Amino acid sequence: KPSVNRPPTPDEDDAPESFEKDEVTLREIINVKLVESGEKENLMELVRDRLVECGWKDEMRIVCREHVKKKGRKDVTVDELIRVITPKGRGRAVEQNPKLHCISCSLMVF
Amino acid sequence: MSGAEGNKSSHTELSSQVFLDLVDSVIADVASECHRVARLGLDRDLEVVEEELRLSVEARAKVADPSNNLETNTKFVVDIFGQTHPPVASEVFNCMNCGRQIVAGRFAPHLEKCMGKGRKARAKATRSTTAAQNRNSQRSPNPRYSPYANSVNENQLASRSPGVAGEDCTNGTVQENVKGG
């Protein structure tokens, strides 16, 4: 039983904007479903453990340290660090976990 | 989106997105953690590097600064215990070879003369030993310590025993001291 107000079902016409909107909406729906079912927590833990295991977290920490060394530790902000590691972080995460990002099975719940 | 293939690819696409969303959360966590460590100065290695950088910059500035009076420092350099040492050692002691009182800073040159590195000293030693040997015995250890022959001794060798090299100190016997048997 859905406990959240679902957004209205999009129309059948295939205008490009609505396609993207579909995707975003779908992601939101999935997110909500994941949280509700408790699956998100499990997935988060899985992903976290996996990223530590494969050395990804250490890599990211090194990148952060280098940036802090350059900028001086008193000036750094969290947003800055996020900006610095996001591109490499996403890339490396996918590289090192080619199977993990096919979480289709969980999505089959829908 | 229509057809089974469309669905599969969109599934993969979608799950990639979900995965990436999760990764973004982890990224935010890592960034937050690193930010905390940096701001609180908890990274000791970083501190050490910063301190060394600071000291080297300071030292460079000191060296480059012309107003610093550097001459006074070179003679009285302070070591790690805070002691200063004069450039020439001033302590006086007795030479173990000749018994004279020598200033420590001048001991090396003294010893050169005293023990016979120089031409005069060696000739002097040979002459005095020769005299002693003639008085006491025909065999005596060669007083020369240096492996290098000098012209005075070579002449002596040549005139007395042409065939003898006599350079090796450890042998002991030198024919030159024998005067016709």
Side-chain angles (χ1 to χ4, degrees):
Chain A
K1 224 194 316 186
S3 60
V4 147
N5 291 329
R6 289 185 62 179
T9 316
D11 291 346
E12 284 291 343
D13 56 1
D14 292 30
E17 303 93 50
S18 74
F19 172 72
E20 279 177 13
K21 245 193 277 175
D22 279 358
E23 199 179 296
V24 172
T25 323
L26 208 42
R27 275 166 65 188
E28 287 173 6
I29 297 173
I30 289 171
N31 241 331
V32 165
K33 283 279 184 184
L34 283 175
V35 171
E36 279 184 356
S37 58
E39 264 311 298
K40 182 153 191 203
E41 235 173 274
N42 293 342
L43 283 175
M44 273 303 302
E45 204 171 312
L46 186 68
V47 169
R48 255 191 249 272
D49 286 345
R50 187 57 207 138
L51 290 177
V52 167
E53 213 173 81
C54 67
W56 175 95
K57 188 171 179 187
D58 292 328
E59 268 184 60
M60 294 305 115
R61 290 180 65 201
I62 290 173
V63 177
C64 287
R65 273 188 76 200
E66 292 305 308
H67 183 84
V68 168
K69 237 191 255 183
K70 225 178 20 169
K71 275 303 205 73
R73 64 179 185 87
K74 305 236 167 103
D75 278 333
V76 198
T77 64
V78 184
D79 290 328
E80 204 177 304
L81 287 175
I82 292 178
R83 228 184 323 124
V84 168
I85 57 177
T86 293
K88 187 171 187 196
R90 288 175 150 196
R92 289 295 283 154
V94 172
E95 266 174 48
Q96 291 180 304
N97 301 281
K99 300 291 183 188
L100 199 60
H101 81 282
C102 300
I103 321 178
S104 319
C105 322
S106 310
L107 296 181
M108 289 309 179
V109 169
F110 306 121
Chain B
M1 286 187 283
S2 58
E5 293 139 14
N7 270 340
K8 207 185 280 179
S9 70
S10 67
H11 254 153
T12 322
E13 187 65 38
L14 223 39
S15 59
S16 293
Q17 281 303 326
V18 171
F19 175 67
L20 287 177
D21 283 341
L22 296 173
V23 171
D24 281 344
S25 298
V26 184
I27 284 178
D29 285 345
V30 175
S32 173
E33 205 178 300
C34 291
H35 173 261
R36 176 179 175 269
V37 166
R39 291 301 219 109
L40 293 180
L42 295 178
D43 190 349
R44 294 297 259 130
D45 293 333
L46 206 65
E47 265 182 46
V48 169
V49 169
E50 276 180 9
E51 183 68 16
E52 285 181 1
L53 213 63
R54 193 178 62 79
L55 287 174
S56 77
V57 168
E58 256 182 51
R60 252 189 273 264
K62 236 186 198 172
V63 171
D65 186 2
S67 69
N68 261 343
N69 201 354
L70 290 175
E71 284 85 45
T72 54
N73 282 335
T74 51
K75 281 198 176 172
F76 300 101
V77 182
V78 180
D79 70 11
I80 61 171
F81 298 115
Q83 300 170 320
T84 51
H85 300 277
V88 176
S90 54
E91 197 176 302
V92 174
F93 67 103
N94 296 328
C95 168
M96 56 286 293
N97 199 41
C98 63
R100 285 160 57 193
Q101 294 229 301
I102 310 292
V103 177
R106 300 293 305 165
F107 186 50
H110 163 79
L111 212 54
E112 277 179 346
K113 294 197 201 71
C114 178
M115 291 182 80
K117 161 219 158 201
R119 205 164 57 96
K120 284 191 178 166
R122 227 183 299 142
K124 173 175 139 232
T126 319
R127 279 198 300 276
S128 61
T129 335
T130 312
Q133 282 165 359
N134 285 340
R135 281 199 301 273
N136 299 329
S137 64
Q138 289 180 349
R139 288 175 176 258
S140 69
N142 191 323
R144 297 197 330 243
Y145 294 89
S146 159
Y148 305 118
N150 58 46
S151 52
V152 177
N153 276 338
E154 289 277 62
N155 287 337
Q156 288 176 341
L157 278 174
S159 62
R160 293 197 184 127
S161 319
V164 176
E167 282 302 309
D168 187 7
C169 315
T170 56
N171 269 354
T173 352
V174 176
Q175 298 289 331
E176 62 175 76
N177 292 323
V178 179
K179 276 188 174 169

